Amino acid sequence: MPFPSVDDLPSTLRSHLPFHAQEIYRAAFNNAWVRYGAASSSEREGKAHRIAWAAVKRKYQKVGEDWVER
């Protein structure tokens, strides 16, 4: 299911990612959700999460416990 706003992301993402990274995650997830609409529900959600994380990792990296901009 798409996320209408960053407030709807899982709490683990909201508590660990900077706000901009949350926006990237949400946008990438929602786009992938639409793109893979023909896939089964679990496959679709899994792909969307993987794509969203890949988008975040292009702009941010984890240093210790923090996500920082590259």
Side-chain angles (χ1 to χ4, degrees):
M1 75 186 144
F3 297 106
S5 75
V6 293
D7 293 331
D8 298 308
L9 291 172
S11 62
T12 53
L13 291 174
R14 289 192 325 268
S15 65
H16 292 353
L17 292 178
F19 185 75
H20 183 241
Q22 293 175 41
E23 291 176 317
I24 292 170
Y25 189 97
R26 186 185 75 80
F29 182 94
N30 290 350
N31 286 332
W33 182 266
V34 170
R35 181 174 182 170
Y36 294 102
S40 70
S41 182
S42 62
E43 182 182 13
R44 182 183 191 186
E45 186 170 356
K47 282 183 180 185
H49 281 296
R50 286 190 300 277
I51 289 167
W53 271 117
V56 168
K57 289 177 181 179
R58 273 189 228 104
K59 184 79 174 172
Y60 288 85
Q61 64 183 349
K62 193 167 186 181
V63 177
E65 293 296 314
D66 299 319
W67 285 90
V68 297
E69 203 163 347
R70 292 183 178 268

